[in-house]
Amino acid sequence: MSNKTEATAIIKSHVIWAMGGGLIPIPLVDFAAVTAIQLEMIQQLAQLYGVNYSRSMGKTFVSALTGTTLARLGASFIKAIPGIGSVIGGASMSITSGASTYAVGQVVINHFETGGSLSDFVEEKVKSAYDSAFEKGKGYVSDLEKEEGDKAADIYQTLEKLGQLKEQGVLTEEEFQTKKAELLSRI
């Protein structure tokens, strides 16, 4: 399998996770979950392309791309409105989170394929590429929603429960990783 094919699969699974993360009904927790998902995606892509990765470099890269996250934060805060807020905010945050994750992934692939690393990017250039990919990401997310339905939310909820079991000591790290891989293979 080529790097591009494998990278596309990594992005797709993380977009689905991000869409599920955007549905978390608690403001700012959804935002933090999506950021963590994007960082994990970058780490996997860096490993695939043999690029050095550190969490701080990943955060710097994501911040450079998604610096204007006011729309995402706004969707997150809408969830605080009793009743209808969680429905409107969740739907909006899910779409925005998926599109943003798609865009981050596309920029990372393009940057790595041209020999770039997480420490040598030109912010204006990657930000412009992100903005363009974000628009394409909205269509990609819409298509995924049609394909996947509630599957992403179900998988995300299961992953969250597995994480809780790991924290409680019911599952070992190895068991958690095995179950996580099993769930992701369904996507």
Side-chain angles (χ1 to χ4, degrees):
M1 185 182 310
S2 73
N3 277 357
K4 185 79 166 183
T5 302
E6 203 169 327
T8 300
I10 290 170
I11 291 171
K12 179 181 179 183
S13 69
H14 285 82
V15 166
I16 292 170
W17 286 9
M19 290 167 62
L23 294 172
I24 296 173
I26 304 166
L28 294 181
V29 173
D30 54 355
F31 187 77
V34 171
T35 300
I37 290 165
Q38 290 176 345
L39 290 173
E40 183 179 330
M41 176 183 67
I42 292 172
Q43 181 180 12
Q44 289 180 13
L45 291 171
Q47 183 178 10
L48 176 67
Y49 283 93
V51 173
N52 262 349
Y53 175 84
S54 76
R55 192 158 178 86
S56 64
M57 288 187 332
K59 285 180 180 179
T60 299
F61 195 81
V62 168
S63 294
L65 294 179
T66 64
T68 54
T69 56
L70 294 178
R72 282 175 55 193
L73 281 174
S76 181
F77 281 120
I78 287 173
K79 293 178 183 179
I81 300 169
I84 193 79
S86 61
V87 174
I88 295 171
S92 175
M93 188 67 181
S94 178
I95 292 166
T96 302
S97 297
S100 176
T101 302
Y102 172 84
V104 169
Q106 293 302 312
V107 171
V108 168
I109 287 175
N110 292 333
H111 189 62
F112 288 173
E113 285 195 345
T114 59
S117 72
L118 291 174
S119 60
D120 71 349
F121 63 92
V122 177
E123 188 169 344
E124 298 80 32
K125 186 176 176 182
V126 294
K127 179 67 177 149
S128 175
Y130 170 85
D131 291 341
S132 175
F134 181 80
E135 291 306 313
K136 291 178 187 170
K138 290 177 188 175
Y140 182 82
V141 166
S142 178
D143 292 345
L144 271 181
E145 283 181 323
K146 291 173 190 165
E147 287 176 26
E148 302 294 328
D150 292 332
K151 187 176 178 181
D154 291 343
I155 289 174
Y156 186 80
Q157 289 172 351
T158 303
L159 284 171
E160 191 173 14
K161 288 175 187 172
L162 286 173
Q164 290 169 351
L165 291 173
K166 183 182 84 169
E167 287 174 16
Q168 295 169 354
V170 176
L171 292 176
T172 66
E173 178 67 28
E174 185 179 329
E175 291 169 327
F176 173 75
Q177 292 300 332
T178 301
K179 289 292 184 185
K180 178 180 163 185
E182 183 183 309
L183 283 170
L184 295 177
S185 70
R186 295 182 195 171
I187 297 176

